Amino acid sequence: MNLPKRVEIIESGPRDGIQNEKIFIPTEMKIKLINALGETGVKRMEATSFVSPKHVPQMSDADTVYRNIEKREDVQYMALIPNKKGFDLARKSGVTSLALVVGASQTFNMKNVRMSIEESLQQLRSVVEKAKDLNYFVRFHISTAFCCPYEGLVEEAETLRIVRTLETYGVDEIVLCDTIGRANPRQVHELFCRVFDSTPIAKITAHFHDTYGFSKANALAALQAGVSSFDTAIGGLGGCPFAPGAAGNDSTEDFVYMLHEMGIETGIDFDKLMNCVNLVKEMTERKLTGHIQQLTQFQQSSIK
């Protein structure tokens, strides 16, 4: 198998994982989780997002969260912004690493940010230019890169077109997102291979949801295509307010456990990671989808 020796994990739980929780999570608990994740060996994470509190109320405390987390020098703390207003708010809060987003589906993009794909790209181009003038790090999510909850299969050519456009913007990282967890391993492998065939300058990252239970198979397909950085979420948290039916992200603890079993390094302390899972259990009433934590619970109950 063609596999990397080391994989980078980008923790998206505090942002993509939490954003869809219906019950508001206290700000201090979010800060506690982010600080704990910073102790695990994770070197990059999306800490929050500066979005409309009307549409995503869970992120209404973005400024307070970002200002009060313990920022380790060896950890990159990113914040997602959907537009120029989000950029201005993030900048005021001291954010220097940004995550932007555009959908590869017209319908999804319209529902997500109320703009067409081209309108998003044009507006965010100026945001990228301003960010790069300030020497900020910029990653760009391409949502619904494989499938859309409204339009179905997304044409590979459209996703590749957006990748090429973002390359001309000079972004640091491009994330291909299976927003609704509907992609399959063959589709994943083919798309990432075609992206790498274009010899991109930006780092290429994969982002999978586990709606149909395909996330690990898709991750393996991406690994074999040459991907070595992945977004995951602690506890398998996640979903998208604008993608009906989307389940949680691939769980960080499950993915890290699988990689370690395969002899692939991550630099992450697994025991500390599981402590973070316990913190998540205190934050939400939902049943976590991670298999490792379920197995741990079963083993503990059997011992008792």
Side-chain angles (χ1 to χ4, degrees):
M1 297 178 75
N2 179 32
L3 298 171
K5 293 182 179 179
R6 187 180 183 89
V7 161
E8 179 182 51
I9 301 296
I10 299 96
E11 175 57 50
S12 62
R15 198 278 301 174
D16 193 26
I18 286 175
Q19 69 177 4
N20 212 37
E21 293 296 304
K22 294 180 180 180
I23 299 176
F24 187 80
I25 297 172
T27 302
E28 58 272 19
M29 295 187 75
K30 296 174 184 174
I31 294 170
K32 184 178 180 180
L33 175 62
I34 293 169
N35 291 342
L37 286 166
E39 298 290 333
T40 64
V42 167
K43 298 303 180 184
R44 302 176 65 208
M45 71 176 85
E46 290 193 356
T48 189
S49 59
F50 290 82
V51 293
S52 167
K54 176 183 177 181
H55 298 293
V56 191
Q58 194 65 249
M59 297 287 106
S60 61
D61 56 358
D63 178 72
T64 304
V65 167
Y66 192 84
R67 289 181 185 276
N68 287 278
I69 54 177
E70 298 171 5
K71 300 179 185 66
R72 295 173 56 102
E73 291 184 1
D74 60 342
V75 177
Q76 180 187 44
Y77 300 91
M78 298 175 282
L80 182 134
I81 60 168
N83 49 36
K84 184 180 181 300
K85 182 177 181 180
F87 171 76
D88 292 336
L89 292 172
R91 183 181 176 186
K92 288 179 182 178
S93 297
V95 177
T96 58
S97 295
L98 304 172
L100 283 62
V101 60
V102 65
S105 150
Q106 288 287 4
T107 306
F108 177 83
N109 202 68
M110 188 63 69
K111 289 181 178 292
N112 192 26
V113 293
R114 290 162 182 77
M115 289 184 285
S116 71
I117 294 173
E118 290 309 312
E119 288 171 338
S120 281
L121 289 171
Q122 287 302 314
Q123 182 183 117
L124 292 174
R125 180 173 189 167
S126 64
V127 172
V128 173
E129 290 172 350
K130 291 178 181 179
K132 299 313 290 183
D133 286 343
L134 294 167
N135 202 30
Y136 286 3
F137 179 93
V138 178
R139 78 183 327 222
F140 222 115
H141 292 268
I142 302 179
S143 297
T144 59
F146 302 90
C147 298
C148 170
Y150 309 103
E151 298 179 11
L153 184 68
V154 172
E155 290 295 328
E156 186 179 86
E158 178 62 8
T159 299
L160 292 173
R161 182 189 72 83
I162 296 172
V163 169
R164 290 193 298 271
T165 299
L166 297 180
E167 279 279 279
T168 67
Y169 291 4
V171 302
D172 299 288
E173 181 178 20
I174 298 172
V175 188
L176 299 189
C177 305
D178 181 21
T179 308
I180 62 171
R182 187 65 180 83
N184 64 70
R186 179 173 182 172
Q187 184 184 12
V188 166
H189 188 268
E190 290 179 353
L191 180 57
F192 277 109
C193 281
R194 285 182 170 82
V195 169
F196 285 122
D197 284 344
S198 68
T199 60
I201 297 173
K203 176 192 284 287
I204 302 298
T205 295
H207 178 119
F208 297 116
H209 287 247
D210 202 33
T211 312
Y212 290 83
F214 291 174
S215 64
K216 298 295 185 301
N218 286 337
L220 183 58
L223 283 166
Q224 291 183 293
V227 178
S228 60
S229 57
F230 292 80
D231 285 1
T232 58
I234 193 72
L237 287 173
C240 176
F242 308 102
N249 293 266
D250 195 7
S251 93
T252 304
E253 64 275 13
D254 285 4
F255 190 47
V256 168
Y257 185 84
M258 184 184 83
L259 292 173
H260 288 181
E261 287 290 295
M262 296 169 68
I264 298 175
E265 298 176 2
T266 65
I268 293 175
D269 185 313
F270 188 76
D271 290 336
K272 290 182 178 180
L273 199 61
M274 291 306 294
N275 289 337
C276 293
V277 175
N278 291 330
L279 288 179
V280 171
K281 290 177 182 177
E282 298 173 7
M283 295 168 58
T284 177
E285 295 180 356
R286 76 152 70 186
K287 181 180 179 180
L288 301 184
T289 58
H291 294 282
I292 298 299
Q293 61 88 20
Q294 292 178 34
L295 179 61
T296 302
Q297 284 181 329
F298 174 76
Q299 290 173 335
Q300 289 176 339
S301 63
S302 296
I303 293 172
K304 292 178 182 179

